[in-house]
Amino acid sequence: MNRILALGIATVMAGAGVAVASPAQAAPAGCRPGYFCIYKHINYNPNYVYYASGRDRSWTNDEFQDQTPVLENDSSWFNNGIVAPGIPTYVQVHDREDHVGAMTICLRAGTGFPRKPASSDRGRSHRWTYGC
């Protein structure tokens, strides 16, 4: 009954133009708690993942397990960050170094994109923030 009521409320809110947040997703295999995970291939291939616990002003020296540079080789992303007071829970990916240029992805903790063609292979830096 509660599930039906929640679905009905969400439907009414969506129809009224109110954005309804999607629920947190389960972290993909291999994405450690507290990390932002960047994948070389779509659909979170755990054989090609880069883990980031803090901000990174340049992906120039970052590599996947096969020594492929992370720089402009990002195809899926998951934010497995920690949600706690005073800790930034969003990750912004930018198409230029030093967190400038266009933001290609912005993820709140517990969310990811197994694929997003418009953003693939464009990342050059990322940072943890309090919002998008």
Side-chain angles (χ1 to χ4, degrees), residues 2 6 43 54 78 128 132:
N2 288 339
N43 298 321
F78 195 87
W128 293 82
C132 293

Side-chain angles (χ1 to χ4, degrees), residues 6 16 24 26 30 47 49 51 55 60 63-64 68 80 82 85 89 123 130:
N47 296 319
V49 61
Y51 308 97
R55 73 179 181 156
T60 303
E63 296 179 340
F64 293 105
T68 301
N80 204 15
I82 297 167
T89 57
Y130 292 97

Side-chain angles (χ1 to χ4, degrees), residues 70-82:
V70 174
L71 182 79
E72 296 180 343
N73 283 304
D74 53 323
S75 296
S76 52
W77 313 260
F78 195 87
N79 178 352
N80 204 15
I82 297 167

Side-chain angles (χ1 to χ4, degrees), residues 6 20 22 27 30 32-33 36 54 56 89 91 96-97 108 126 128 130-131:
V20 179
S22 60
R32 302 173 191 158
F36 170 53
D56 194 340
T89 57
V91 173
R96 296 194 48 206
E97 295 177 356
R108 72 178 175 358
H126 76 272
W128 293 82
Y130 292 97

Side-chain angles (χ1 to χ4, degrees), residues 28-29 38-49 65 76:
I38 305 162
Y39 297 84
K40 179 179 174 182
H41 300 295
I42 63 170
N43 298 321
Y44 310 124
N45 184 331
N47 296 319
Y48 302 96
V49 61
Q65 292 88 327
S76 52

Side-chain angles (χ1 to χ4, degrees), residues 106-123:
C106 187
L107 300 166
R108 72 178 175 358
T111 64
F113 286 106
R115 71 183 315 160
K116 189 171 185 195
S119 300
S120 284
D121 302 330
R122 293 183 54 210

